[in-house]
Amino acid sequence: MKIAIYTLGCKVNQYETQAIETELTLRGHALVPFEGPADAYIINTCTVTAVSDHKSRQAIRRCRKYNPAAVVGVCGCYAQTDPQAVAALGVDLVSGTAGRLPFLDDLERLAAARAAASSDGPEPLVTVGNIMSQRSFEELPAGGLAGRTRAMLKVEDGCVNFCSYCIIPYARGPVRSLPLADAAGQARRLAEEGYRELVLTGIEISSWGQDFRDGTSLIDLIEAICAAAPGCRVRLGSLEPRTITADFCRRAAALPNLCDHFHLSMQSGCDATLKRMNRKYDSARYYESVSLLREFFDRPGITTDLIVGFPGETEEEFEATLAFLRRCAFSAMHIFPYSRREGTPGAKMPGQVLRAVKEERARRARAVAEELRRLYLEEQVGRTLSVLFEEEKDGLWRGHAPNYTEVAVSGQGLHNVERPVRITGVSGERLTGEPV
């Protein structure tokens, strides 16, 4: 059977799609491009914002144009939070954020019935369960895409932070962790398959181990994975500031294959805004995390996310955030105007900020981010960085240093090769250099 897949959203969704692709290939199916004819289509949806819901609906409608007779299965966060809205779009199968392998079983069964003309599928099969009662981690086939240097390793699912702007805890349920021995085993297998970098991902990896209630924490997992795959670089996904303690940094800095790139979720640099967001830290605790990382690592890449225009954010609060950005001196940032998300406390808060104001603040924040990014890149000139090369483009080989800066060099046959590079300059958003 020819199956096409469309994925929206975060790295966890991307990982889960890769796992679905691996499983479908093992079952003998052929993967084909989404923008064309197929026997079945899978849309892995996102619901982090209202815009994400809209894009998910667009993708669902598009596949019917490519083959009206195909079986259409929808899974992911949007399907989990609003399965009836998805079913109303004329799909054949609706699943959520759990039970991915049974979802594929149902897809195969419906496709076989459609091919035998035994069912027109007038009523969609909805198999979405109560995600809030989910207690076990769903282990899926680990792997990456053929020809890639980097593979993702999902080690955690779920979140119980309940930030006032976020719908994801309702889409993903409570924290479930991949057992340490299983994670180490998957890392070892991926290294044996030839991947040179593993990205640890999850909905909220800082909470890894919380559900085991045995004292193990994320740093224990990181140490085990680094030991299991010593020939692989290990890169961390997004972290909460509470993760960064002196003990965490001391142990992390002792791991030679751990990348010195840390994405610390922030959202605002103003304490009053953070409190309305129901974040579990203030700016002082956040800055302590930044300072600790710079104490234990040499010029690490520290990146973050920022939401501007959250309900009640005044001009003074926004100015405080801009000042805090400069104080932290981030190497890169993702900046988002606040998106009102029905079903969250933030959607009902007074003081909703006008769209034009949110967009203007986003522009100002991006200007600061670009300034800080340029300063960080210029700081790399003269250093020698280890670069894992991924692709050749426009006559140059490109890859990433452990601090997640992109580096371009002249050379030949560097795919999936890690080489030390002396950084000689900055070109736009990337560094240039010479292999040593």
Side-chain angles (χ1 to χ4, degrees):
M1 182 165 61
K2 295 179 180 179
I3 302 178
I5 307 177
Y6 190 88
T7 306
L8 298 102
C10 66
K11 287 182 179 179
V12 174
N13 262 19
Q14 294 169 29
Y15 170 89
E16 289 167 348
T17 290
Q18 289 181 8
I20 288 171
E21 291 173 335
T22 300
E23 179 64 21
L24 289 172
T25 301
L26 291 172
R27 295 185 184 197
H29 300 295
L31 301 176
V32 298
F34 187 81
E35 307 289 338
D39 301 308
Y41 295 88
I42 296 173
I43 299 91
N44 193 0
T45 60
C46 174
T47 193
V48 70
T49 66
V51 173
S52 302
D53 289 354
H54 176 67
K55 289 181 177 179
S56 296
R57 290 192 295 270
Q58 283 183 320
I60 293 166
R61 292 187 180 104
R62 279 211 311 276
C63 64
R64 282 299 187 200
K65 297 179 182 178
Y66 305 136
N67 182 3
V71 170
V72 178
V74 182
C75 59
C77 292
Y78 179 43
Q80 179 70 48
T81 57
D82 201 349
Q84 298 309 316
V86 172
L89 296 172
V91 305
D92 300 287
L93 174 62
V94 184
S95 184
T97 56
R100 302 301 178 126
L101 299 184
F103 167 72
L104 297 183
D105 295 339
D106 288 333
L107 187 80
E108 289 177 322
R109 180 174 57 79
L110 291 173
R114 180 69 54 83
S118 60
S119 172
D120 292 328
E123 294 295 329
L125 175 62
V126 179
T127 62
V128 178
N130 178 11
I131 196 65
M132 304 308 288
S133 65
Q134 191 79 13
R135 291 293 179 267
S136 60
F137 184 90
E138 182 184 16
E139 192 166 345
L140 298 171
L145 297 177
R148 295 288 180 89
T149 63
R150 182 183 299 115
M152 288 180 284
L153 176 54
K154 180 184 169 185
V155 298
E156 183 274 343
D157 206 340
C159 179
V160 293
N161 289 335
F162 291 98
C163 300
S164 58
Y165 53 80
C166 186
I167 196 72
I168 296 305
Y170 306 97
R172 286 286 177 169
V175 171
R176 289 98 67 199
S177 305
L178 176 66
L180 188 148
D182 293 351
Q186 288 196 24
R188 189 178 299 110
R189 288 193 295 273
L190 289 169
E192 291 170 352
E193 290 175 16
Y195 294 101
R196 299 298 304 278
E197 181 174 303
L198 306 180
V199 182
L200 306 192
T201 189
I203 295 301
E204 211 268 279
I205 67 170
S206 285
S207 291
W208 182 91
Q210 184 182 97
D211 48 325
F212 297 149
R213 303 183 186 280
D214 61 1
T216 53
S217 66
L218 180 62
I219 188 60
D220 299 302
L221 175 73
I222 296 168
E223 288 175 335
I225 288 175
C226 285
C232 274
R233 302 199 311 196
V234 176
R235 190 177 298 280
L236 304 180
S238 180
L239 302 173
E240 288 291 305
R242 70 175 186 274
T243 309
I244 310 302
T245 63
D247 180 65
F248 177 94
C249 290
R250 185 163 37 249
R251 293 166 67 179
L255 302 172
N257 53 333
L258 179 65
C259 292
D260 57 349
H261 166 229
F262 303 92
H263 187 87
L264 289 185
S265 181
M266 185 183 75
Q267 312 309 348
S268 175
C270 169
D271 288 344
T273 307
L274 288 170
K275 187 174 182 178
R276 291 195 302 276
M277 289 178 165
N278 197 32
R279 300 295 284 171
K280 307 303 189 291
Y281 54 85
D282 58 16
S283 59
R285 178 63 183 89
Y286 190 97
Y287 190 71
E288 178 187 348
S289 298
V290 171
S291 299
L292 281 169
L293 289 171
R294 292 193 171 126
E295 177 183 343
F296 284 89
F297 294 88
D298 180 21
R299 289 168 284 185
I302 302 178
T303 58
T304 198
D305 300 313
L306 174 66
I307 296 173
V308 301
F310 188 73
E313 184 184 67
T314 64
E315 179 62 22
E316 291 74 22
E317 289 179 348
F318 177 65
E319 288 286 352
T321 289
L322 292 184
F324 191 70
L325 301 182
R326 289 193 168 92
R327 187 181 179 202
C328 291
F330 295 108
S331 57
M333 299 176 60
H334 300 297
I335 297 165
F336 308 95
Y338 170 69
S339 176
R340 193 170 187 171
R341 188 66 180 81
E342 293 302 323
T344 65
K348 300 177 181 179
M349 284 184 175
Q352 298 288 329
V353 178
L354 294 175
R355 178 178 178 180
V357 174
K358 289 188 287 189
E359 291 177 349
E360 188 267 342
R361 288 178 183 172
R363 285 193 295 271
R364 289 160 62 190
R366 289 188 184 107
V368 173
E370 290 170 6
E371 172 192 332
L372 297 176
R373 175 68 172 168
R374 184 74 182 184
L375 289 171
Y376 185 76
L377 292 176
E378 290 174 348
E379 192 179 76
Q380 308 307 307
V381 176
R383 300 183 71 191
T384 296
L385 302 175
S386 181
V387 179
L388 177 59
F389 290 98
E390 299 153 17
E391 64 174 352
E392 184 181 22
K393 190 175 181 180
D394 300 327
L396 295 174
W397 276 95
R398 301 181 183 186
H400 286 84
N403 62 14
Y404 210 52
T405 52
E406 185 180 354
V407 181
V409 304
S410 297
Q412 292 183 343
L414 293 177
H415 180 259
N416 213 21
V417 172
E418 189 171 4
R419 291 277 298 275
V421 174
R422 186 172 66 85
I423 305 303
T424 58
V426 178
S427 176
E429 286 292 304
R430 67 178 62 88
L431 300 171
T432 58
E434 300 171 350
V436 176

